[in-house]
């Protein structure tokens, strides 16, 4: 067996490395968006790419999300592989129409004659004291959309592997990059091309009593909560969902059928949030295994507050522990 | 893929002739247009100068506060004082203002309050306008405020009020659909709104000549059948009088105007941005310092005999005290109230919010569980 060389990287460096790897691999791929060129992206996710690949392949667009996504759809239909950046996920709304009305339904409308193999990347989520709107976690707007896949890595290894899978995917993929984790820690990331399969979650830790489910920046939160639980003698299965649409229902049902209890943690608002779909999956697959109602620890049905009060919006390990105790005590 | 070039075709030349940069006082402080000579009195000149200096001092203070970790990320406006102060001074008290995140000089000049500063400390309280002033919370998403401004103006017309509306936006904003939609509605409905563009040449790292291939922003008015004007955005008198004219047109039922104030932002996009990555900051700033809104007015005042050393000293001290007071006010605000997260979502809370609030407050009280 040949050993693969790895490098220690932050998630944002891994994303850069993934883009670089695929720009080498696929000559029809382009990277476009606001400030992705000479500036290398406001978070440096595209740093140095224009220098290496030129202005034809990595380019700044005018300031127009609808324009970026609409033209990407056209490029994708006509033989290219656009990877478009939305500078912050909270600014995706002007592009929403293009995604909803065209990207997601071109294959269906044309019975496969036209397809849209494109990726939309966006920094996502709260907890970095960003100004208003920059912190929105509106993934559910997109998981509710038919015809688009949604992924959200929580570490550098998955970030690169999932991004490569997203670029290789023949359909549109929304790739959410948790802002809070961009530089939170480093992982060993293999050089060159590798894929992390879209649609598969990962079991990060095993325990007998409760299943904890989260994605993105909430994964470190449930990992910490699992530690707190262990101090009280409660064992947790910890699941990083990784793909939000389609959800890995097997990993959820296997775990819940073992632990019989579940706590779901997401930073997005409660109503219409993805936690509710996970509950439905558990209902469908594992209802008779449950020993307690499923708990959700989520943002309230309010806007992400201005950052002086942000901590009161975001789930914490302590709030998660509170919910774990509740399902144990039921 | 990239084709945008700084080309200067014959077509572009026609356009710049059609939309000349209007000036009243040039970069060296000479009066170059004397239509408004009588209004450029010592009092008026001092009023403009004082307010611009005040805003420059405020801006610098805010940047320092950010560097000391006393506020969060902050978008500076140094260089744009004349554009913001001049246009805001033209408003009538009951008019409406739709600013962006960078237009503090406009909103402070219009509203007379520094409360906005606390929004950069993550306090929603910073967005509440002073009593009786229609200053809408600054728009963070680009260009989205423009259709709103048009709507407010349509309402003003419908209600036969003589309130006019001013909306601020940058050069980058002209690429967004909302810019075009707001302009078109305003034109079709003859809404009393002034679209006030500050062309500071950059949208973060993207220079205006890569943002668009039209030579001016003012010319975009043509497509919508409204007047467009290009002014020297560093000439406070030109900005003031052009805005006043547009507001008067609006009030008299003649509909919207697009004003392009050609200006320059010396500093970074925000305190989180590094302009050396995409522009030769020092070199370019040196070029623009010749046109600085404050120094040109100072030169003019000196030439006119309007400058008084004692006065200049006095206002500096007054300004410092005023801004220190504003900072003190921000820093001695009571702790943020957790209830504010829940209490401003609807007129009366819906059941999910009520339940969620109750559960969270109980959790907070739980103390030991926390
Ligand atoms: C819809 C939207 N997309 C992207 C952003 C991120 N962003 C913030 S400011 C900015 C540049 C704005 O440039 P311009 O309109 O020229 O105004 P300036 O900041 O120069 O005053 C960008 C891209 C945003 N705020 N809103």
């Amino acid at each position: 067996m040949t050993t693969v060389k790895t490098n220690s990287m932050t998630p944002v460096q891994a994303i850069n490395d993934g883009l670089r790897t695929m720009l080498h691999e696929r000559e029809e791929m382009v990277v476009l968006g606001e400030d992705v060129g000479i500036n290398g992206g406001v978070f440096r996710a595209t740093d140095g790419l224009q220098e290496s690949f030129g202005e034809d392949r990595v380019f700044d667009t005018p300031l127009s999300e609808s324009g970026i996504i609409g033209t990407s759809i056209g490029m994708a239909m006509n033989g290219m592989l656009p990877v478009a950046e939305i500078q912050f996920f909270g600014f995706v709304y002007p592009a929403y129409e293009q995604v909803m009305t065209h990207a997601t339904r071109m294959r269906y409308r044309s019975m496969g004659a036209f397809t849209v193999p494109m990726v939309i990347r966006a920094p996502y989520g709260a907890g970095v004291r960003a100004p208003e709107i920059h912190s929105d976690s509106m993934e559910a707007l997109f998981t509710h959309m038919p015809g688009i896949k949604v992924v959200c890595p929580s570490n550098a290894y998955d970030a690169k592997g999932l991004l490569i899978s997203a670029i290789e995917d023949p359909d549109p993929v929304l790739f959410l990059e948790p802002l809070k984790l961009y530089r939170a820690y480093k992982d060993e990331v293999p050089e060159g091309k590798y894929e992390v399969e879209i649609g598969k979650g990962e079991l990060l830790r095993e325990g007998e009593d409760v299943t904890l489910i989260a994605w993105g920046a909430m994964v470190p939160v449930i990992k910490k909560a699992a530690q707190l639980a262990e101090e009280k003698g409660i064992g947790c299965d910890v699941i990083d969902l990784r793909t939000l649409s389609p959800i890995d229902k097997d990993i959820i049902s296997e775990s819940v059928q073992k632990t019989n209890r579940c706590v779901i943690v997401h930073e997005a608002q409660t109503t219409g949030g993805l936690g509710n779909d996970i509950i439905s999956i558990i209902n469908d697959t594992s209802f008779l295994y449950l020993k307690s109602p499923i708990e959700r620890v989520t943002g309230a049905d309010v806007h992400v507050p201005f950052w002086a009060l942000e901590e009161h919006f975001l789930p914490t390990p302590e709030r998660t522990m509170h919910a774990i105790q509740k399902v144990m005590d039921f | 893929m990239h084709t945008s070039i700084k080309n200067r075709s014959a077509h572009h030349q026609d356009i710049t002739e059609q939309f000349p940069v209007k000036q009243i006082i040039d970069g060296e402080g000479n009066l170059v247009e004397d239509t408004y000579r009588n209004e450029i009195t010592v009092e008026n000149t001092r009023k403009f100068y004082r307010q611009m200096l005040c805003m420059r001092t405020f801006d610098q203070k805010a940047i320092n506060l950010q560097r000391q970790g006393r506020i969060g990320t902050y978008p500076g406006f140094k260089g744009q004082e004349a554009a913001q102060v001049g246009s805001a001074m033209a408003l009538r008290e009951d008019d409406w203002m739709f600013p962006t995140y960078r237009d503090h000089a406009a909103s402070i000049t219009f509203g007379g309050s520094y409360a906005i500063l606390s929004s950069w400390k993550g306090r929603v309280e910073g967005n509440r306008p002073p009593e009786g002033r229609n200053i809408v919370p600054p728009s963070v998403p680009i260009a989205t405020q423009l259709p709103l401004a048009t709507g407010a103006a349509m309402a003003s017309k419908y209600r036969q009020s003589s309130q006019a509306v001013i909306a601020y936006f940058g050069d980058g904003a002209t690429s967004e659909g909302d810019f075009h939609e707001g302009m078109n509605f305003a034109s079709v409905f003859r809404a009393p709104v002034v679209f006030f563009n500050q062309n500071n040449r950059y949208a973060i790292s993207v220079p205006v000549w890569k943002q668009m291939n039209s030579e001016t922003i003012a010319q975009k008015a043509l497509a919508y059948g409204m007047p467009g004007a290009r002014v020297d955005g560093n000439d406070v008198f030109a900005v003031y009088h052009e805005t006043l004219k547009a507001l008067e047109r609006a009030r008299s039922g003649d509909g919207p105007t697009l004003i392009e104030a050609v200006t320059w932002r010396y500093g970074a996009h925000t305190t989180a941005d590094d302009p050396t990555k995409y522009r030769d900051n020092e070199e370019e700033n040196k070029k623009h310092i010749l046109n600085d809104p404050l120094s040109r007015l100072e030169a003019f005042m000196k030439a006119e005999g309007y400058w008084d050393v004692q006065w200049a000293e006095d206002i500096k001290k007054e300004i410092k005290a005023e801004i220190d007071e504003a900072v003190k006010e921000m820093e001695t605000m009571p702790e943020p109230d957790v209830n504010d997260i829940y209490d401003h979502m609807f007129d009366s809370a819906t059941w999910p919010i009520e339940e969620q609030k109750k559960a969270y407050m109980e959790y907070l009280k739980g103390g030991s569980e926390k």
Side-chain angles (χ1 to χ4, degrees):
Chain A
M1 213 178 112
T2 50
T3 50
V4 180
K5 202 168 167 295
T6 66
N7 295 304
S8 177
M9 284 184 194
T10 59
V12 71
Q13 286 168 333
I15 288 161
N16 185 279
D17 191 43
L19 291 170
R20 186 174 286 278
T21 303
M22 292 308 285
L23 280 161
H24 275 298
E25 185 96 0
R26 302 286 295 263
E27 63 179 27
E28 70 275 37
M29 174 177 152
V30 289
V31 169
L32 69 160
E34 294 156 11
D35 305 289
V36 299
I38 183 166
N39 205 27
V42 295
F43 294 103
R44 306 287 170 256
T46 55
D47 209 18
L49 297 179
Q50 187 175 73
E51 221 174 320
S52 305
F53 297 94
E55 280 197 52
D56 279 350
R57 300 201 51 204
V58 179
F59 55 92
D60 288 326
T61 64
L63 208 177
S64 166
E65 291 72 19
S66 182
I68 293 166
I69 300 304
T71 54
S72 291
I73 294 168
M75 283 188 267
M77 289 170 64
N78 195 13
M80 290 173 69
L81 207 51
V83 179
E85 178 178 293
I86 297 293
Q87 200 160 76
F88 280 89
F89 191 43
F91 301 135
V92 76
Y93 311 124
Y96 197 79
E97 160 160 40
Q98 287 296 341
V99 185
M100 186 60 153
T101 58
H102 294 302
T104 64
R105 61 175 76 216
M106 194 55 77
R107 179 186 289 278
Y108 165 75
R109 294 166 65 211
S110 65
M111 295 181 79
F114 299 105
T115 62
V116 184
M118 66 180 280
V119 177
I120 304 169
R121 296 181 34 245
Y124 146 96
V128 296
R129 304 196 145 200
E132 219 189 331
I133 317 243
H134 291 69
S135 302
D136 284 12
S137 307
M138 289 291 168
E139 64 267 29
L141 295 182
F142 290 84
T143 56
H144 193 69
M145 267 188 189
I148 186 167
K149 295 175 185 169
V150 182
V151 300
C152 181
S154 76
N155 59 64
Y157 178 90
D158 287 350
K160 180 174 170 184
L162 277 171
L163 179 59
I164 291 171
S165 299
I167 294 168
E168 290 288 2
D169 198 287
D171 285 303
V173 179
L174 173 64
F175 188 83
L176 299 171
E177 303 171 3
L179 263 170
K180 197 171 164 62
L181 305 184
Y182 259 162
R183 294 183 170 79
Y185 42 72
K186 293 192 168 188
D187 281 325
E188 286 305 310
V189 173
E191 283 189 351
K193 191 176 169 189
Y194 67 93
E195 295 193 29
V196 171
E197 192 183 341
I198 293 178
K200 288 274 179 275
E202 188 182 14
L203 186 62
L204 298 176
R205 175 185 174 125
E206 292 193 55
E208 296 302 313
D209 302 310
V210 188
T211 299
L212 304 183
I213 302 173
W215 54 92
M218 291 297 110
V219 170
V221 171
I222 59 169
K223 276 161 89 176
K224 182 79 199 302
Q227 275 171 21
L228 297 177
E230 185 156 276
E231 286 162 19
K232 298 199 171 185
I234 304 166
C236 298
D237 260 10
V238 173
I239 294 174
D240 177 354
L241 210 52
R242 298 198 293 199
T243 294
L244 312 185
S245 182
I247 292 179
D248 182 350
K249 68 179 175 138
D250 296 338
I251 200 171
I252 294 171
S253 54
E254 267 166 38
S255 172
V256 172
Q257 287 173 18
K258 177 183 76 175
T259 63
N260 317 112
R261 298 179 187 88
C262 183
V263 173
I264 303 159
V265 179
H266 62 64
E267 57 182 90
Q269 287 77 359
T270 315
T271 299
L274 204 57
N276 308 340
D277 284 279
I278 297 171
I279 293 175
S280 291
I281 287 171
I282 296 171
N283 244 344
D284 290 346
T285 62
S286 317
F287 182 68
L288 293 176
Y289 292 83
L290 287 176
K291 285 189 183 154
S292 75
I294 298 157
E295 278 290 316
R296 285 166 297 171
V297 183
T298 62
D301 290 359
V302 300
H303 295 296
V304 182
F306 277 46
W307 55 259
L309 287 172
E310 204 176 18
E311 68 193 282
H312 291 286
F313 177 83
L314 287 174
T316 57
E318 292 73 23
R319 265 176 73 196
T320 308
M321 186 57 223
H322 191 70
I324 293 171
Q325 200 64 60
K326 217 167 146 190
V327 297
M328 292 305 294
D329 294 346
F330 181 75
Chain B
M1 191 64 61
H2 230 285
T3 54
S4 229
I5 40 161
K6 281 177 154 166
N7 66 6
R8 292 283 181 272
S9 64
H11 168 71
H12 281 136
Q13 230 159 30
D14 291 349
I15 285 291
T16 45
E17 273 163 28
Q18 205 177 332
F19 293 93
V21 177
K22 297 185 190 174
Q23 263 186 346
I24 292 178
I25 291 174
D26 71 12
E28 269 115 53
N30 305 309
L31 189 78
V32 291
E33 145 81 59
D34 63 2
T35 315
Y36 303 99
R37 188 67 192 88
N38 292 338
E39 285 155 70
I40 304 180
T41 60
V42 63
E43 288 76 31
N44 277 342
T45 308
R46 285 186 179 179
K47 190 176 75 182
F48 281 122
Y49 186 88
R50 187 194 188 284
Q51 187 59 15
M52 288 201 292
L53 183 66
C54 190
M55 292 301 96
R56 181 163 291 188
T57 313
F58 166 83
D59 191 55
Q60 188 54 55
K61 182 74 185 182
I63 287 169
N64 294 345
L65 289 174
Q66 192 281 332
R67 297 225 170 96
Q68 295 158 7
R70 289 155 74 189
I71 60 172
T73 304
Y74 169 82
F77 55 76
K78 184 179 177 188
Q80 300 181 219
E81 294 87 352
Q84 294 191 24
V85 169
S87 55
M89 289 273 202
L91 293 169
R92 214 171 66 184
E93 274 192 10
D94 60 338
D95 285 340
W96 283 73
M97 176 182 279
F98 287 78
T100 78
Y101 51 82
R102 200 187 297 290
D103 300 315
H104 305 327
S107 62
I108 294 169
T109 299
F110 183 44
S113 160
Y114 290 94
I116 187 72
L117 184 58
S118 70
S119 72
W120 299 107
K121 209 183 164 194
R123 300 290 297 256
V124 69
E125 294 93 326
N127 273 2
R128 184 183 285 158
E131 196 58 37
R133 279 292 190 287
N134 300 312
I135 304 177
V136 178
S139 188
V140 171
I142 303 300
T144 49
Q145 74 279 20
L146 300 176
L148 310 190
T150 296
M154 287 162 70
S156 167
K157 182 177 168 194
Y158 177 84
R159 295 169 51 235
Q160 299 184 339
S161 129
S162 61
Q163 289 172 319
V165 179
I166 190 164
Y168 291 86
F169 57 104
D171 36 298
T174 64
S175 297
E176 291 277 11
D178 277 337
F179 163 75
H180 301 276
E181 295 172 32
M183 294 265 288
N184 190 46
F185 269 60
S187 169
V188 166
F189 294 105
R190 288 181 93 73
V193 53
V194 178
F195 295 99
F196 191 87
N197 171 259
Q198 290 168 82
N199 179 357
N200 64 24
R201 324 284 173 96
Y202 278 92
I204 309 188
S205 68
V206 179
V208 68
W209 53 273
K210 283 190 173 184
Q211 189 70 241
M212 60 186 205
N213 262 339
S214 40
E215 186 63 13
T216 72
I217 286 166
Q219 78 195 62
K220 293 176 193 277
L222 284 180
Y224 298 101
M226 69 172 80
R230 212 166 183 231
V231 297
D232 183 334
N234 296 343
D235 172 358
V236 71
F237 289 119
V239 171
Y240 172 76
H241 286 290
E242 206 55 44
T243 311
L244 201 61
K245 239 174 31 194
L247 287 164
E248 276 162 11
R249 275 193 76 243
R251 277 188 236 291
S252 66
D254 288 340
T257 306
L258 171 63
I259 296 176
E260 173 187 2
V262 181
T263 182
W264 177 256
R265 186 187 69 232
Y266 290 107
H269 171 69
T270 67
T271 49
D273 168 53
D274 173 15
T276 60
K277 284 212 77 166
Y278 52 81
R279 72 184 201 206
D280 187 344
N281 221 34
E282 255 173 58
E283 269 310 298
E284 294 195 65
N285 279 348
K286 250 190 250 157
K287 266 190 328 217
H288 287 277
I289 232 145
L290 294 174
N291 291 316
D292 186 85
L294 276 133
S295 55
R296 77 161 70 181
L297 194 55
E298 185 175 328
F300 170 76
M301 290 169 81
K302 284 180 173 157
E304 291 291 306
Y306 288 179
W307 189 261
D308 174 329
V309 178
Q310 188 58 49
W311 168 80
E313 295 269 305
D314 290 348
I315 58 163
K316 243 191 216 159
K317 274 191 219 129
E318 281 168 31
I319 286 168
K320 186 177 177 304
E322 192 173 322
I323 286 164
D324 285 349
E325 182 58 33
V327 173
K328 196 170 130 202
E329 214 166 279
M330 173 187 78
E331 296 200 318
T332 53
M333 276 169 91
E335 286 296 298
D337 182 352
V338 183
N339 290 291
D340 286 345
I341 296 180
Y342 304 93
D343 291 350
H344 306 283
M345 295 303 300
F346 293 102
D347 185 22
S348 57
T350 55
W351 72 260
I353 296 174
E354 233 166 40
E355 281 189 6
Q356 289 160 4
K357 176 177 170 177
K358 187 160 165 270
Y360 188 66
M361 296 304 172
E362 269 164 22
Y363 164 76
L364 279 185
K365 262 190 269 155
S368 62
E369 287 285 17
K370 206 184 150 195

